[in-house]
Amino acid sequence: MQIEPLKNWGVAEDKPWVISGPCSAETEEQLTETALALVEKGVKTIRAGVWKPRTRPGTFEGIGKDALGWINNIRTQVPEDVKFAVEVATAQHVEQALEAKIDVLWVGARSSVNPFTMQDIADALRGVDVPVLVKNPINPDLALWIGAMERIAGAGITKIGAIHRGFSSHKKTRFRNIPSWHLALELKREYPELPMICDPSHIAGDSALIAELSQKAMDLDFDGLMIESHRDPANAWSDAKQQVTPDVLSEIVEGLSIPTASSGNVEFNSQLTELREQIDQLDRELFDTLAERMKVVDKIGNYKRDNNVTVFQMRRWDEILKTRSDWAKELGLNQDMMFEVFTHIHEAAVRRQMDILEKKEAGV
Ligand SMILES: C=C(O[C@@H]1C=C(C(=O)O)C=C[C@H]1O)C(=O)O
């Protein structure tokens, strides 16, 4: 993918690039009042949901094309450098948004999940130069997210960015969509130039968590934030719980501490090098220990094979999870994290023992 660095997009002079505005454009008055209040607070990119993909039919599905006209009326009341962003989900949306000279388009999570939809959107974008932001698909599938962006890039768009809005999960957590930050970080590792925007509103589902998530995004070196705001969140026609007023939005942005990816401080850098050497040493020991553990797993595998005993041992596995969880607690480690680590280790152990068994079955 050929990706133009964010500094060349002409949208964000400072970090973070703040994109804010209502979940849905509801009335011209609501959109105008919200947008003008945001511009007054220094927001340079206003978002507005014009077409709304909703889970159930019969709920408000967006104003549609008329709202694009409202945006153009607002343009006459704000400085020229204020940009407008809308979500597009079909080729027709793209055509209408481009006709209305919308500055930034984004593709939502319910569209990026579908390669056919993405291809239709990409085909409609061929030959134009407009920034396109792609939200992660609803399920935690990094390849699908990358594939969605590749289709946009394939149409010749170079101003491509990713929006991390969290992932649907059956697990009940304090978030509406679980962040799984590691997927966004992995994307950044693969495409270092790719601008990364965090959407704390959809991760949170609750306006009270937005400040905390925005700070986390800054600490993880995200380039921007897309935050839903509304002049009167409690009476919003969609996503009422997660929208904030322009005043609160401004407080959140003002309250952020923006760390840089590196420091010019010599003392800091030498300390960092020393501590990283310690980490290298500890990781090496961790690997040595894991390799030792796998040798024991192999021995057990051989015994199981010779004695016709199943590889997977439920009771032992249960006991391991309980004791390791207690150890994690005792050592101040995150129990969920240790659960995940051990699940992977166990999976690898079972696979090794299965290989041993299969060799027997194949008569090796
Ligand atoms: C190593 C064994 O085999 C499997 C792997 C385990 C492990 O990695 O600790 C535990 C139980 C088994 O499902 C064993 O039975 O002890």
Side-chain angles (χ1 to χ4, degrees), residues 333-359:
L333 293 166
N334 180 307
Q335 286 169 294
D336 289 342
M337 187 267 284
M338 290 317 284
F339 177 87
E340 270 192 43
V341 168
F342 253 84
T343 303
H344 287 297
I345 292 175
H346 179 254
E347 211 176 284
V350 166
R351 215 175 312 128
R352 280 175 85 106
Q353 293 188 349
M354 293 295 279
D355 283 349
I356 291 171
L357 229 68
E358 274 162 23
K359 273 190 201 133

PDB file of all heavy atoms in Angstrom, residues 333-359:
ATOM      1  N   LEU A 333       0.592  -9.768  38.972  1.00  0.00           N
ATOM      2  CA  LEU A 333       0.443  -9.827  37.508  1.00  0.00           C
ATOM      3  C   LEU A 333      -1.043  -9.851  37.159  1.00  0.00           C
ATOM      4  O   LEU A 333      -1.848 -10.341  37.946  1.00  0.00           O
ATOM      5  CB  LEU A 333       1.116 -11.096  36.963  1.00  0.00           C
ATOM      6  CG  LEU A 333       2.637 -11.136  37.085  1.00  0.00           C
ATOM      7  CD1 LEU A 333       3.153 -12.559  36.846  1.00  0.00           C
ATOM      8  CD2 LEU A 333       3.273 -10.185  36.086  1.00  0.00           C
ATOM      9  N   ASN A 334      -1.352  -9.356  35.998  1.00  0.00           N
ATOM     10  CA  ASN A 334      -2.739  -9.348  35.561  1.00  0.00           C
ATOM     11  C   ASN A 334      -3.213 -10.787  35.307  1.00  0.00           C
ATOM     12  O   ASN A 334      -2.629 -11.513  34.500  1.00  0.00           O
ATOM     13  CB  ASN A 334      -2.833  -8.491  34.285  1.00  0.00           C
ATOM     14  CG  ASN A 334      -4.239  -8.415  33.757  1.00  0.00           C
ATOM     15  OD1 ASN A 334      -4.898  -9.417  33.532  1.00  0.00           O
ATOM     16  ND2 ASN A 334      -4.698  -7.206  33.558  1.00  0.00           N
ATOM     17  N   GLN A 335      -4.281 -11.198  36.014  1.00  0.00           N
ATOM     18  CA  GLN A 335      -4.713 -12.597  35.920  1.00  0.00           C
ATOM     19  C   GLN A 335      -5.240 -12.958  34.532  1.00  0.00           C
ATOM     20  O   GLN A 335      -4.988 -14.057  34.037  1.00  0.00           O
ATOM     21  CB  GLN A 335      -5.768 -12.894  36.998  1.00  0.00           C
ATOM     22  CG  GLN A 335      -5.126 -13.003  38.373  1.00  0.00           C
ATOM     23  CD  GLN A 335      -6.150 -13.034  39.483  1.00  0.00           C
ATOM     24  OE1 GLN A 335      -6.835 -12.056  39.706  1.00  0.00           O
ATOM     25  NE2 GLN A 335      -6.251 -14.156  40.161  1.00  0.00           N
ATOM     26  N   ASP A 336      -5.938 -12.010  33.899  1.00  0.00           N
ATOM     27  CA  ASP A 336      -6.450 -12.282  32.542  1.00  0.00           C
ATOM     28  C   ASP A 336      -5.297 -12.487  31.568  1.00  0.00           C
ATOM     29  O   ASP A 336      -5.332 -13.350  30.696  1.00  0.00           O
ATOM     30  CB  ASP A 336      -7.303 -11.111  32.032  1.00  0.00           C
ATOM     31  CG  ASP A 336      -8.615 -11.037  32.768  1.00  0.00           C
ATOM     32  OD1 ASP A 336      -8.992 -12.042  33.390  1.00  0.00           O
ATOM     33  OD2 ASP A 336      -9.244  -9.957  32.732  1.00  0.00           O
ATOM     34  N   MET A 337      -4.270 -11.648  31.735  1.00  0.00           N
ATOM     35  CA  MET A 337      -3.113 -11.739  30.836  1.00  0.00           C
ATOM     36  C   MET A 337      -2.440 -13.104  31.019  1.00  0.00           C
ATOM     37  O   MET A 337      -2.123 -13.791  30.043  1.00  0.00           O
ATOM     38  CB  MET A 337      -2.142 -10.592  31.172  1.00  0.00           C
ATOM     39  CG  MET A 337      -0.971 -10.425  30.239  1.00  0.00           C
ATOM     40  SD  MET A 337       0.510 -11.282  30.759  1.00  0.00           S
ATOM     41  CE  MET A 337       1.125 -10.233  32.069  1.00  0.00           C
ATOM     42  N   MET A 338      -2.263 -13.524  32.274  1.00  0.00           N
ATOM     43  CA  MET A 338      -1.605 -14.811  32.521  1.00  0.00           C
ATOM     44  C   MET A 338      -2.462 -15.971  32.026  1.00  0.00           C
ATOM     45  O   MET A 338      -1.952 -16.979  31.545  1.00  0.00           O
ATOM     46  CB  MET A 338      -1.276 -14.980  34.018  1.00  0.00           C
ATOM     47  CG  MET A 338      -0.177 -14.056  34.495  1.00  0.00           C
ATOM     48  SD  MET A 338       1.216 -13.948  33.334  1.00  0.00           S
ATOM     49  CE  MET A 338       2.053 -15.486  33.613  1.00  0.00           C
ATOM     50  N   PHE A 339      -3.773 -15.799  32.127  1.00  0.00           N
ATOM     51  CA  PHE A 339      -4.682 -16.824  31.602  1.00  0.00           C
ATOM     52  C   PHE A 339      -4.434 -16.991  30.093  1.00  0.00           C
ATOM     53  O   PHE A 339      -4.306 -18.101  29.589  1.00  0.00           O
ATOM     54  CB  PHE A 339      -6.136 -16.406  31.868  1.00  0.00           C
ATOM     55  CG  PHE A 339      -7.157 -17.349  31.315  1.00  0.00           C
ATOM     56  CD1 PHE A 339      -7.591 -18.448  32.060  1.00  0.00           C
ATOM     57  CD2 PHE A 339      -7.687 -17.170  30.043  1.00  0.00           C
ATOM     58  CE1 PHE A 339      -8.522 -19.336  31.540  1.00  0.00           C
ATOM     59  CE2 PHE A 339      -8.622 -18.053  29.511  1.00  0.00           C
ATOM     60  CZ  PHE A 339      -9.042 -19.136  30.263  1.00  0.00           C
ATOM     61  N   GLU A 340      -4.335 -15.853  29.412  1.00  0.00           N
ATOM     62  CA  GLU A 340      -4.116 -15.916  27.954  1.00  0.00           C
ATOM     63  C   GLU A 340      -2.767 -16.546  27.621  1.00  0.00           C
ATOM     64  O   GLU A 340      -2.662 -17.396  26.746  1.00  0.00           O
ATOM     65  CB  GLU A 340      -4.186 -14.513  27.346  1.00  0.00           C
ATOM     66  CG  GLU A 340      -5.583 -14.167  26.922  1.00  0.00           C
ATOM     67  CD  GLU A 340      -5.658 -12.923  26.071  1.00  0.00           C
ATOM     68  OE1 GLU A 340      -4.818 -12.761  25.170  1.00  0.00           O
ATOM     69  OE2 GLU A 340      -6.554 -12.114  26.330  1.00  0.00           O
ATOM     70  N   VAL A 341      -1.737 -16.092  28.341  1.00  0.00           N
ATOM     71  CA  VAL A 341      -0.394 -16.631  28.077  1.00  0.00           C
ATOM     72  C   VAL A 341      -0.406 -18.147  28.269  1.00  0.00           C
ATOM     73  O   VAL A 341       0.072 -18.904  27.422  1.00  0.00           O
ATOM     74  CB  VAL A 341       0.648 -15.974  29.023  1.00  0.00           C
ATOM     75  CG1 VAL A 341       1.970 -16.710  28.978  1.00  0.00           C
ATOM     76  CG2 VAL A 341       0.839 -14.504  28.667  1.00  0.00           C
ATOM     77  N   PHE A 342      -1.013 -18.578  29.385  1.00  0.00           N
ATOM     78  CA  PHE A 342      -0.997 -20.015  29.663  1.00  0.00           C
ATOM     79  C   PHE A 342      -1.858 -20.816  28.703  1.00  0.00           C
ATOM     80  O   PHE A 342      -1.547 -21.970  28.394  1.00  0.00           O
ATOM     81  CB  PHE A 342      -1.342 -20.302  31.137  1.00  0.00           C
ATOM     82  CG  PHE A 342      -0.108 -20.715  31.846  1.00  0.00           C
ATOM     83  CD1 PHE A 342       0.759 -19.757  32.347  1.00  0.00           C
ATOM     84  CD2 PHE A 342       0.266 -22.050  31.915  1.00  0.00           C
ATOM     85  CE1 PHE A 342       1.961 -20.131  32.909  1.00  0.00           C
ATOM     86  CE2 PHE A 342       1.472 -22.428  32.482  1.00  0.00           C
ATOM     87  CZ  PHE A 342       2.317 -21.469  32.983  1.00  0.00           C
ATOM     88  N   THR A 343      -2.928 -20.179  28.217  1.00  0.00           N
ATOM     89  CA  THR A 343      -3.759 -20.869  27.225  1.00  0.00           C
ATOM     90  C   THR A 343      -2.926 -21.154  25.980  1.00  0.00           C
ATOM     91  O   THR A 343      -2.992 -22.246  25.398  1.00  0.00           O
ATOM     92  CB  THR A 343      -4.988 -20.003  26.877  1.00  0.00           C
ATOM     93  OG1 THR A 343      -5.686 -19.746  28.083  1.00  0.00           O
ATOM     94  CG2 THR A 343      -5.915 -20.701  25.912  1.00  0.00           C
ATOM     95  N   HIS A 344      -2.107 -20.184  25.567  1.00  0.00           N
ATOM     96  CA  HIS A 344      -1.248 -20.393  24.389  1.00  0.00           C
ATOM     97  C   HIS A 344      -0.195 -21.469  24.657  1.00  0.00           C
ATOM     98  O   HIS A 344       0.085 -22.311  23.804  1.00  0.00           O
ATOM     99  CB  HIS A 344      -0.560 -19.089  23.980  1.00  0.00           C
ATOM    100  CG  HIS A 344      -1.502 -18.122  23.329  1.00  0.00           C
ATOM    101  ND1 HIS A 344      -2.137 -18.394  22.145  1.00  0.00           N
ATOM    102  CD2 HIS A 344      -1.923 -16.896  23.696  1.00  0.00           C
ATOM    103  CE1 HIS A 344      -2.916 -17.377  21.816  1.00  0.00           C
ATOM    104  NE2 HIS A 344      -2.810 -16.455  22.744  1.00  0.00           N
ATOM    105  N   ILE A 345       0.394 -21.424  25.850  1.00  0.00           N
ATOM    106  CA  ILE A 345       1.421 -22.423  26.181  1.00  0.00           C
ATOM    107  C   ILE A 345       0.800 -23.823  26.161  1.00  0.00           C
ATOM    108  O   ILE A 345       1.360 -24.774  25.597  1.00  0.00           O
ATOM    109  CB  ILE A 345       2.068 -22.116  27.557  1.00  0.00           C
ATOM    110  CG1 ILE A 345       2.880 -20.825  27.467  1.00  0.00           C
ATOM    111  CG2 ILE A 345       2.927 -23.284  28.036  1.00  0.00           C
ATOM    112  CD1 ILE A 345       3.466 -20.365  28.787  1.00  0.00           C
ATOM    113  N   HIS A 346      -0.385 -23.930  26.761  1.00  0.00           N
ATOM    114  CA  HIS A 346      -1.046 -25.226  26.832  1.00  0.00           C
ATOM    115  C   HIS A 346      -1.399 -25.733  25.429  1.00  0.00           C
ATOM    116  O   HIS A 346      -1.207 -26.913  25.108  1.00  0.00           O
ATOM    117  CB  HIS A 346      -2.299 -25.126  27.708  1.00  0.00           C
ATOM    118  CG  HIS A 346      -3.044 -26.416  27.811  1.00  0.00           C
ATOM    119  ND1 HIS A 346      -4.228 -26.623  27.154  1.00  0.00           N
ATOM    120  CD2 HIS A 346      -2.763 -27.584  28.460  1.00  0.00           C
ATOM    121  CE1 HIS A 346      -4.651 -27.868  27.403  1.00  0.00           C
ATOM    122  NE2 HIS A 346      -3.785 -28.467  28.196  1.00  0.00           N
ATOM    123  N   GLU A 347      -1.867 -24.809  24.613  1.00  0.00           N
ATOM    124  CA  GLU A 347      -2.234 -25.158  23.233  1.00  0.00           C
ATOM    125  C   GLU A 347      -1.008 -25.736  22.498  1.00  0.00           C
ATOM    126  O   GLU A 347      -1.098 -26.752  21.813  1.00  0.00           O
ATOM    127  CB  GLU A 347      -2.678 -23.878  22.545  1.00  0.00           C
ATOM    128  CG  GLU A 347      -3.724 -24.040  21.476  1.00  0.00           C
ATOM    129  CD  GLU A 347      -4.140 -22.666  20.967  1.00  0.00           C
ATOM    130  OE1 GLU A 347      -4.896 -21.979  21.684  1.00  0.00           O
ATOM    131  OE2 GLU A 347      -3.676 -22.280  19.882  1.00  0.00           O
ATOM    132  N   ALA A 348       0.133 -25.057  22.699  1.00  0.00           N
ATOM    133  CA  ALA A 348       1.366 -25.517  22.040  1.00  0.00           C
ATOM    134  C   ALA A 348       1.783 -26.884  22.588  1.00  0.00           C
ATOM    135  O   ALA A 348       2.240 -27.760  21.835  1.00  0.00           O
ATOM    136  CB  ALA A 348       2.479 -24.494  22.244  1.00  0.00           C
ATOM    137  N   ALA A 349       1.598 -27.071  23.898  1.00  0.00           N
ATOM    138  CA  ALA A 349       1.978 -28.353  24.519  1.00  0.00           C
ATOM    139  C   ALA A 349       1.117 -29.479  23.955  1.00  0.00           C
ATOM    140  O   ALA A 349       1.619 -30.557  23.595  1.00  0.00           O
ATOM    141  CB  ALA A 349       1.816 -28.261  26.041  1.00  0.00           C
ATOM    142  N   VAL A 350      -0.185 -29.227  23.854  1.00  0.00           N
ATOM    143  CA  VAL A 350      -1.100 -30.246  23.337  1.00  0.00           C
ATOM    144  C   VAL A 350      -0.735 -30.577  21.884  1.00  0.00           C
ATOM    145  O   VAL A 350      -0.703 -31.744  21.485  1.00  0.00           O
ATOM    146  CB  VAL A 350      -2.572 -29.767  23.467  1.00  0.00           C
ATOM    147  CG1 VAL A 350      -3.505 -30.644  22.642  1.00  0.00           C
ATOM    148  CG2 VAL A 350      -2.997 -29.771  24.928  1.00  0.00           C
ATOM    149  N   ARG A 351      -0.408 -29.530  21.105  1.00  0.00           N
ATOM    150  CA  ARG A 351      -0.039 -29.765  19.705  1.00  0.00           C
ATOM    151  C   ARG A 351       1.207 -30.651  19.602  1.00  0.00           C
ATOM    152  O   ARG A 351       1.278 -31.573  18.802  1.00  0.00           O
ATOM    153  CB  ARG A 351       0.183 -28.429  19.000  1.00  0.00           C
ATOM    154  CG  ARG A 351      -0.255 -28.469  17.542  1.00  0.00           C
ATOM    155  CD  ARG A 351      -0.154 -27.113  16.863  1.00  0.00           C
ATOM    156  NE  ARG A 351      -0.738 -26.029  17.609  1.00  0.00           N
ATOM    157  CZ  ARG A 351      -0.107 -24.886  17.903  1.00  0.00           C
ATOM    158  NH1 ARG A 351       1.138 -24.710  17.530  1.00  0.00           N
ATOM    159  NH2 ARG A 351      -0.712 -23.932  18.587  1.00  0.00           N
ATOM    160  N   ARG A 352       2.189 -30.384  20.478  1.00  0.00           N
ATOM    161  CA  ARG A 352       3.423 -31.198  20.442  1.00  0.00           C
ATOM    162  C   ARG A 352       3.119 -32.649  20.768  1.00  0.00           C
ATOM    163  O   ARG A 352       3.619 -33.577  20.128  1.00  0.00           O
ATOM    164  CB  ARG A 352       4.453 -30.655  21.449  1.00  0.00           C
ATOM    165  CG  ARG A 352       5.200 -29.456  20.927  1.00  0.00           C
ATOM    166  CD  ARG A 352       6.094 -28.917  22.005  1.00  0.00           C
ATOM    167  NE  ARG A 352       7.377 -29.600  22.060  1.00  0.00           N
ATOM    168  CZ  ARG A 352       8.527 -29.062  21.624  1.00  0.00           C
ATOM    169  NH1 ARG A 352       8.512 -27.844  21.108  1.00  0.00           N
ATOM    170  NH2 ARG A 352       9.656 -29.719  21.714  1.00  0.00           N
ATOM    171  N   GLN A 353       2.285 -32.847  21.790  1.00  0.00           N
ATOM    172  CA  GLN A 353       1.963 -34.232  22.163  1.00  0.00           C
ATOM    173  C   GLN A 353       1.142 -34.915  21.068  1.00  0.00           C
ATOM    174  O   GLN A 353       1.301 -36.112  20.833  1.00  0.00           O
ATOM    175  CB  GLN A 353       1.228 -34.256  23.506  1.00  0.00           C
ATOM    176  CG  GLN A 353       2.129 -33.815  24.661  1.00  0.00           C
ATOM    177  CD  GLN A 353       1.486 -34.010  26.024  1.00  0.00           C
ATOM    178  OE1 GLN A 353       0.297 -34.280  26.129  1.00  0.00           O
ATOM    179  NE2 GLN A 353       2.282 -33.859  27.070  1.00  0.00           N
ATOM    180  N   MET A 354       0.262 -34.144  20.409  1.00  0.00           N
ATOM    181  CA  MET A 354      -0.510 -34.711  19.292  1.00  0.00           C
ATOM    182  C   MET A 354       0.442 -35.173  18.184  1.00  0.00           C
ATOM    183  O   MET A 354       0.257 -36.241  17.596  1.00  0.00           O
ATOM    184  CB  MET A 354      -1.476 -33.676  18.703  1.00  0.00           C
ATOM    185  CG  MET A 354      -2.592 -33.265  19.623  1.00  0.00           C
ATOM    186  SD  MET A 354      -3.735 -34.583  20.013  1.00  0.00           S
ATOM    187  CE  MET A 354      -4.749 -34.540  18.581  1.00  0.00           C
ATOM    188  N   ASP A 355       1.481 -34.368  17.932  1.00  0.00           N
ATOM    189  CA  ASP A 355       2.466 -34.743  16.908  1.00  0.00           C
ATOM    190  C   ASP A 355       3.128 -36.072  17.275  1.00  0.00           C
ATOM    191  O   ASP A 355       3.327 -36.931  16.423  1.00  0.00           O
ATOM    192  CB  ASP A 355       3.560 -33.662  16.783  1.00  0.00           C
ATOM    193  CG  ASP A 355       3.051 -32.458  16.013  1.00  0.00           C
ATOM    194  OD1 ASP A 355       1.961 -32.562  15.409  1.00  0.00           O
ATOM    195  OD2 ASP A 355       3.724 -31.409  16.034  1.00  0.00           O
ATOM    196  N   ILE A 356       3.461 -36.211  18.557  1.00  0.00           N
ATOM    197  CA  ILE A 356       4.107 -37.447  19.020  1.00  0.00           C
ATOM    198  C   ILE A 356       3.186 -38.640  18.759  1.00  0.00           C
ATOM    199  O   ILE A 356       3.595 -39.678  18.247  1.00  0.00           O
ATOM    200  CB  ILE A 356       4.487 -37.330  20.518  1.00  0.00           C
ATOM    201  CG1 ILE A 356       5.617 -36.314  20.688  1.00  0.00           C
ATOM    202  CG2 ILE A 356       4.850 -38.689  21.117  1.00  0.00           C
ATOM    203  CD1 ILE A 356       5.942 -35.933  22.116  1.00  0.00           C
ATOM    204  N   LEU A 357       1.896 -38.442  19.068  1.00  0.00           N
ATOM    205  CA  LEU A 357       0.910 -39.506  18.872  1.00  0.00           C
ATOM    206  C   LEU A 357       0.715 -39.846  17.399  1.00  0.00           C
ATOM    207  O   LEU A 357       0.634 -41.003  17.006  1.00  0.00           O
ATOM    208  CB  LEU A 357      -0.428 -39.050  19.465  1.00  0.00           C
ATOM    209  CG  LEU A 357      -1.089 -40.055  20.387  1.00  0.00           C
ATOM    210  CD1 LEU A 357      -0.257 -40.182  21.656  1.00  0.00           C
ATOM    211  CD2 LEU A 357      -2.494 -39.601  20.727  1.00  0.00           C
ATOM    212  N   GLU A 358       0.644 -38.791  16.595  1.00  0.00           N
ATOM    213  CA  GLU A 358       0.434 -39.003  15.152  1.00  0.00           C
ATOM    214  C   GLU A 358       1.591 -39.779  14.547  1.00  0.00           C
ATOM    215  O   GLU A 358       1.397 -40.599  13.649  1.00  0.00           O
ATOM    216  CB  GLU A 358       0.242 -37.659  14.430  1.00  0.00           C
ATOM    217  CG  GLU A 358      -1.211 -37.212  14.483  1.00  0.00           C
ATOM    218  CD  GLU A 358      -1.393 -35.743  14.201  1.00  0.00           C
ATOM    219  OE1 GLU A 358      -0.517 -35.154  13.548  1.00  0.00           O
ATOM    220  OE2 GLU A 358      -2.405 -35.190  14.669  1.00  0.00           O
ATOM    221  N   LYS A 359       2.800 -39.507  15.063  1.00  0.00           N
ATOM    222  CA  LYS A 359       3.968 -40.243  14.552  1.00  0.00           C
ATOM    223  C   LYS A 359       3.810 -41.722  14.838  1.00  0.00           C
ATOM    224  O   LYS A 359       4.112 -42.569  14.010  1.00  0.00           O
ATOM    225  CB  LYS A 359       5.251 -39.704  15.183  1.00  0.00           C
ATOM    226  CG  LYS A 359       5.790 -38.527  14.399  1.00  0.00           C
ATOM    227  CD  LYS A 359       7.181 -38.147  14.858  1.00  0.00           C
ATOM    228  CE  LYS A 359       7.473 -36.733  14.462  1.00  0.00           C
ATOM    229  NZ  LYS A 359       8.035 -35.944  15.549  1.00  0.00           N
TER     230      LYS A 359
END
